[in-house]
PDB file of all heavy atoms in Angstrom:
ATOM      1  N   ARG A  73       2.913  -4.197 -17.440  1.00 96.00           N
ATOM      2  CA  ARG A  73       3.045  -2.971 -16.656  1.00 96.00           C
ATOM      3  C   ARG A  73       1.818  -2.094 -16.914  1.00 96.00           C
ATOM      4  O   ARG A  73       1.391  -1.924 -18.047  1.00 96.00           O
ATOM      5  CB  ARG A  73       4.307  -2.236 -17.080  1.00 96.00           C
ATOM      6  CG  ARG A  73       4.529  -0.965 -16.338  1.00 96.00           C
ATOM      7  CD  ARG A  73       5.850  -0.352 -16.761  1.00 96.00           C
ATOM      8  NE  ARG A  73       5.989   0.935 -16.125  1.00 96.00           N
ATOM      9  CZ  ARG A  73       6.357   2.029 -16.726  1.00 96.00           C
ATOM     10  NH1 ARG A  73       6.659   2.013 -18.009  1.00 96.00           N
ATOM     11  NH2 ARG A  73       6.451   3.146 -16.065  1.00 96.00           N
ATOM     12  N   GLY A  74       1.237  -1.550 -15.838  1.00 96.00           N
ATOM     13  CA  GLY A  74       0.062  -0.694 -15.956  1.00 96.00           C
ATOM     14  C   GLY A  74      -1.246  -1.428 -15.744  1.00 96.00           C
ATOM     15  O   GLY A  74      -2.282  -0.802 -15.521  1.00 96.00           O
ATOM     16  N   ASP A  75      -1.236  -2.766 -15.820  1.00 97.00           N
ATOM     17  CA  ASP A  75      -2.454  -3.535 -15.569  1.00 97.00           C
ATOM     18  C   ASP A  75      -2.863  -3.414 -14.109  1.00 97.00           C
ATOM     19  O   ASP A  75      -2.037  -3.092 -13.240  1.00 97.00           O
ATOM     20  CB  ASP A  75      -2.239  -5.024 -15.875  1.00 97.00           C
ATOM     21  CG  ASP A  75      -2.176  -5.340 -17.355  1.00 97.00           C
ATOM     22  OD1 ASP A  75      -2.432  -4.448 -18.182  1.00 97.00           O
ATOM     23  OD2 ASP A  75      -1.842  -6.505 -17.674  1.00 97.00           O
ATOM     24  N   GLU A  76      -4.134  -3.694 -13.841  1.00 97.00           N
ATOM     25  CA  GLU A  76      -4.619  -3.829 -12.466  1.00 97.00           C
ATOM     26  C   GLU A  76      -4.963  -5.286 -12.252  1.00 97.00           C
ATOM     27  O   GLU A  76      -5.593  -5.918 -13.102  1.00 97.00           O
ATOM     28  CB  GLU A  76      -5.867  -2.976 -12.227  1.00 97.00           C
ATOM     29  CG  GLU A  76      -5.586  -1.518 -12.095  1.00 97.00           C
ATOM     30  CD  GLU A  76      -6.815  -0.711 -11.679  1.00 97.00           C
ATOM     31  OE1 GLU A  76      -7.900  -1.301 -11.463  1.00 97.00           O
ATOM     32  OE2 GLU A  76      -6.677   0.515 -11.572  1.00 97.00           O
ATOM     33  N   LEU A  77      -4.543  -5.826 -11.110  1.00 97.00           N
ATOM     34  CA  LEU A  77      -4.884  -7.186 -10.713  1.00 97.00           C
ATOM     35  C   LEU A  77      -5.893  -7.070  -9.581  1.00 97.00           C
ATOM     36  O   LEU A  77      -5.610  -6.429  -8.561  1.00 97.00           O
ATOM     37  CB  LEU A  77      -3.642  -7.949 -10.266  1.00 97.00           C
ATOM     38  CG  LEU A  77      -2.512  -8.030 -11.294  1.00 97.00           C
ATOM     39  CD1 LEU A  77      -1.303  -8.740 -10.695  1.00 97.00           C
ATOM     40  CD2 LEU A  77      -2.978  -8.733 -12.556  1.00 97.00           C
ATOM     41  N   ARG A  78      -7.067  -7.667  -9.759  1.00 97.00           N
ATOM     42  CA  ARG A  78      -8.142  -7.530  -8.774  1.00 97.00           C
ATOM     43  C   ARG A  78      -8.541  -8.892  -8.234  1.00 97.00           C
ATOM     44  O   ARG A  78      -8.690  -9.849  -8.976  1.00 97.00           O
ATOM     45  CB  ARG A  78      -9.363  -6.871  -9.410  1.00 97.00           C
ATOM     46  CG  ARG A  78      -9.094  -5.474  -9.918  1.00 97.00           C
ATOM     47  CD  ARG A  78     -10.331  -4.890 -10.531  1.00 97.00           C
ATOM     48  NE  ARG A  78     -10.073  -3.582 -11.132  1.00 97.00           N
ATOM     49  CZ  ARG A  78     -10.989  -2.856 -11.741  1.00 97.00           C
ATOM     50  NH1 ARG A  78     -12.230  -3.309 -11.843  1.00 97.00           N
ATOM     51  NH2 ARG A  78     -10.674  -1.696 -12.256  1.00 97.00           N
ATOM     52  N   GLY A  79      -8.721  -8.933  -6.928  1.00 95.00           N
ATOM     53  CA  GLY A  79      -9.152 -10.161  -6.272  1.00 95.00           C
ATOM     54  C   GLY A  79      -9.388  -9.877  -4.802  1.00 95.00           C
ATOM     55  O   GLY A  79      -9.506  -8.722  -4.381  1.00 95.00           O
ATOM     56  N   THR A  80      -9.446 -10.944  -4.014  1.00 92.00           N
ATOM     57  CA  THR A  80      -9.625 -10.793  -2.568  1.00 92.00           C
ATOM     58  C   THR A  80      -8.495 -11.502  -1.847  1.00 92.00           C
ATOM     59  O   THR A  80      -7.931 -12.476  -2.348  1.00 92.00           O
ATOM     60  CB  THR A  80     -10.971 -11.386  -2.103  1.00 92.00           C
ATOM     61  OG1 THR A  80     -11.034 -12.758  -2.497  1.00 92.00           O
ATOM     62  CG2 THR A  80     -12.143 -10.624  -2.686  1.00 92.00           C
ATOM     63  N   ASP A  81      -8.168 -10.993  -0.660  1.00 85.00           N
ATOM     64  CA  ASP A  81      -7.138 -11.650   0.155  1.00 85.00           C
ATOM     65  C   ASP A  81      -7.777 -12.806   0.923  1.00 85.00           C
ATOM     66  O   ASP A  81      -8.956 -13.110   0.748  1.00 85.00           O
ATOM     67  CB  ASP A  81      -6.432 -10.642   1.063  1.00 85.00           C
ATOM     68  CG  ASP A  81      -7.351 -10.016   2.101  1.00 85.00           C
ATOM     69  OD1 ASP A  81      -8.482 -10.504   2.310  1.00 85.00           O
ATOM     70  OD2 ASP A  81      -6.936  -9.016   2.720  1.00 85.00           O
ATOM     71  N   ARG A  82      -6.998 -13.454   1.789  1.00 84.00           N
ATOM     72  CA  ARG A  82      -7.497 -14.614   2.534  1.00 84.00           C
ATOM     73  C   ARG A  82      -8.636 -14.270   3.485  1.00 84.00           C
ATOM     74  O   ARG A  82      -9.386 -15.135   3.883  1.00 84.00           O
ATOM     75  CB  ARG A  82      -6.362 -15.270   3.312  1.00 84.00           C
ATOM     76  CG  ARG A  82      -5.440 -16.059   2.407  1.00 84.00           C
ATOM     77  CD  ARG A  82      -4.428 -16.791   3.185  1.00 84.00           C
ATOM     78  NE  ARG A  82      -3.333 -15.869   3.493  1.00 84.00           N
ATOM     79  CZ  ARG A  82      -2.266 -16.174   4.178  1.00 84.00           C
ATOM     80  NH1 ARG A  82      -2.127 -17.377   4.654  1.00 84.00           N
ATOM     81  NH2 ARG A  82      -1.324 -15.282   4.388  1.00 84.00           N
ATOM     82  N   LEU A  83      -8.762 -12.997   3.848  1.00 87.00           N
ATOM     83  CA  LEU A  83      -9.839 -12.572   4.739  1.00 87.00           C
ATOM     84  C   LEU A  83     -11.076 -12.130   3.973  1.00 87.00           C
ATOM     85  O   LEU A  83     -12.063 -11.715   4.571  1.00 87.00           O
ATOM     86  CB  LEU A  83      -9.347 -11.439   5.648  1.00 87.00           C
ATOM     87  CG  LEU A  83      -8.153 -11.781   6.540  1.00 87.00           C
ATOM     88  CD1 LEU A  83      -7.693 -10.546   7.299  1.00 87.00           C
ATOM     89  CD2 LEU A  83      -8.513 -12.902   7.492  1.00 87.00           C
ATOM     90  N   GLY A  84     -11.013 -12.177   2.637  1.00 89.00           N
ATOM     91  CA  GLY A  84     -12.146 -11.780   1.816  1.00 89.00           C
ATOM     92  C   GLY A  84     -12.203 -10.294   1.518  1.00 89.00           C
ATOM     93  O   GLY A  84     -13.187  -9.808   0.977  1.00 89.00           O
ATOM     94  N   THR A  85     -11.137  -9.567   1.848  1.00 87.00           N
ATOM     95  CA  THR A  85     -11.081  -8.133   1.574  1.00 87.00           C
ATOM     96  C   THR A  85     -10.684  -7.911   0.115  1.00 87.00           C
ATOM     97  O   THR A  85      -9.698  -8.474  -0.357  1.00 87.00           O
ATOM     98  CB  THR A  85     -10.047  -7.447   2.500  1.00 87.00           C
ATOM     99  OG1 THR A  85     -10.388  -7.729   3.859  1.00 87.00           O
ATOM    100  CG2 THR A  85     -10.012  -5.949   2.275  1.00 87.00           C
ATOM    101  N   ALA A  86     -11.458  -7.090  -0.597  1.00 91.00           N
ATOM    102  CA  ALA A  86     -11.153  -6.795  -1.997  1.00 91.00           C
ATOM    103  C   ALA A  86      -9.826  -6.044  -2.094  1.00 91.00           C
ATOM    104  O   ALA A  86      -9.554  -5.149  -1.285  1.00 91.00           O
ATOM    105  CB  ALA A  86     -12.270  -5.972  -2.614  1.00 91.00           C
ATOM    106  N   GLN A  87      -9.015  -6.413  -3.080  1.00 91.00           N
ATOM    107  CA  GLN A  87      -7.733  -5.755  -3.322  1.00 91.00           C
ATOM    108  C   GLN A  87      -7.594  -5.407  -4.795  1.00 91.00           C
ATOM    109  O   GLN A  87      -8.040  -6.159  -5.659  1.00 91.00           O
ATOM    110  CB  GLN A  87      -6.557  -6.665  -2.953  1.00 91.00           C
ATOM    111  CG  GLN A  87      -6.371  -6.893  -1.485  1.00 91.00           C
ATOM    112  CD  GLN A  87      -5.132  -7.728  -1.210  1.00 91.00           C
ATOM    113  OE1 GLN A  87      -4.839  -8.685  -1.925  1.00 91.00           O
ATOM    114  NE2 GLN A  87      -4.407  -7.372  -0.184  1.00 91.00           N
ATOM    115  N   VAL A  88      -6.970  -4.261  -5.052  1.00 95.00           N
ATOM    116  CA  VAL A  88      -6.600  -3.858  -6.405  1.00 95.00           C
ATOM    117  C   VAL A  88      -5.110  -3.559  -6.366  1.00 95.00           C
ATOM    118  O   VAL A  88      -4.653  -2.707  -5.592  1.00 95.00           O
ATOM    119  CB  VAL A  88      -7.387  -2.612  -6.878  1.00 95.00           C
ATOM    120  CG1 VAL A  88      -6.895  -2.171  -8.253  1.00 95.00           C
ATOM    121  CG2 VAL A  88      -8.880  -2.902  -6.894  1.00 95.00           C
ATOM    122  N   LEU A  89      -4.341  -4.276  -7.184  1.00 95.00           N
ATOM    123  CA  LEU A  89      -2.894  -4.116  -7.247  1.00 95.00           C
ATOM    124  C   LEU A  89      -2.521  -3.574  -8.620  1.00 95.00           C
ATOM    125  O   LEU A  89      -2.878  -4.179  -9.638  1.00 95.00           O
ATOM    126  CB  LEU A  89      -2.202  -5.455  -7.012  1.00 95.00           C
ATOM    127  CG  LEU A  89      -2.472  -6.100  -5.653  1.00 95.00           C
ATOM    128  CD1 LEU A  89      -2.217  -7.578  -5.703  1.00 95.00           C
ATOM    129  CD2 LEU A  89      -1.615  -5.436  -4.598  1.00 95.00           C
TER     130      LEU A  89
END
Side-chain angles (χ1 to χ4, degrees):
R73 180 176 175 227
D75 286 353
E76 285 187 1
L77 303 177
R78 298 180 185 180
T80 57
D81 64 13
R82 285 185 277 180
L83 301 175
T85 304
Q87 289 184 320
V88 176
L89 299 158

